[in-house]
Amino acid sequence: ETKYSVETGNKIRGLAAHDLKSNPLKMDLDIKKSGHYQILLLILNSSLKPQAVQLKYEGIIQKFQINWNEWGWASLTLQKEFKHPQNVNFEIVCLDPDPQLKISKVYLVNLDTGITD
C-alpha cells in the first residue's frame, strides 16, 4: 500500500541501495487506514554471517536477523495496531558492529485488507 524506494546511493547488484554502515535508514510512511500492518524490506546482507536489524517506530523496537547474502525480502508484522490514518516515522538500524546490510525498497502492507477475485 505504501512504498519507499531508495533513489540515490550506490547501485549494488543492479539496485540503488542505502548502506546501513553509513547511517540508519529513516523514513516517514503513511498508514492509510486502521488495522494491522506488515513491513517488507528488500535487503542485502553482504556478509557471510547473519546480521541483526532493529526497527524503531512509535516508541516500539522490534529486532530480527538477516541470514542470507543475496537480495531478499524480509517481512515483519508490526506489533502496533493502528487505529486511524497517520504518518509514521520508521528507523532501520543494523546492530552488528561491522554492518554489511543494504536496503533498496520498503513496503508497508495492511494485513486486514482482503483480496477477492
Side-chain angles (χ1 to χ4, degrees):
E1 296 196 9
T2 300
K3 299 175 183 178
Y4 173 86
S5 293
V6 173
E7 301 295 333
T8 60
N10 293 332
K11 285 228 175 200
I12 301 169
R13 299 184 190 170
L15 296 171
H18 176 87
D19 191 340
L20 291 179
K21 182 178 267 188
S22 60
N23 53 40
L25 177 60
K26 296 179 181 182
M27 75 206 87
D28 291 324
L29 298 175
D30 288 326
I31 300 292
K32 296 186 178 186
K33 59 184 177 179
S34 64
H36 298 89
Y37 280 80
Q38 185 175 62
I39 194 164
L40 305 168
L41 309 172
L42 183 55
I43 193 166
L44 169 71
N45 178 4
S46 55
S47 171
L48 295 178
K49 63 179 186 141
Q51 300 256 300
V53 177
Q54 177 177 283
L55 174 69
K56 293 196 289 188
Y57 63 98
E58 300 278 302
I60 297 170
I61 295 174
Q62 291 182 246
K63 298 177 183 179
F64 57 100
Q65 294 279 326
I66 303 299
N67 59 1
W68 57 83
N69 59 3
E70 293 292 333
W71 283 111
W73 287 99
S75 63
L76 183 67
T77 300
L78 301 182
Q79 292 176 350
K80 180 176 180 174
E81 177 182 2
F82 293 91
K83 301 293 185 187
H84 54 82
Q86 64 189 80
N87 187 270
V88 178
N89 179 267
F90 289 91
E91 180 179 283
I92 302 166
V93 178
C94 182
L95 298 176
D96 196 275
D98 182 26
Q100 298 294 317
L101 297 176
K102 287 86 175 158
I103 297 176
S104 180
K105 299 187 184 302
V106 180
Y107 292 170
L108 195 59
V109 177
N110 185 311
L111 296 176
D112 298 332
T113 303
I115 298 174
T116 60
D117 292 331

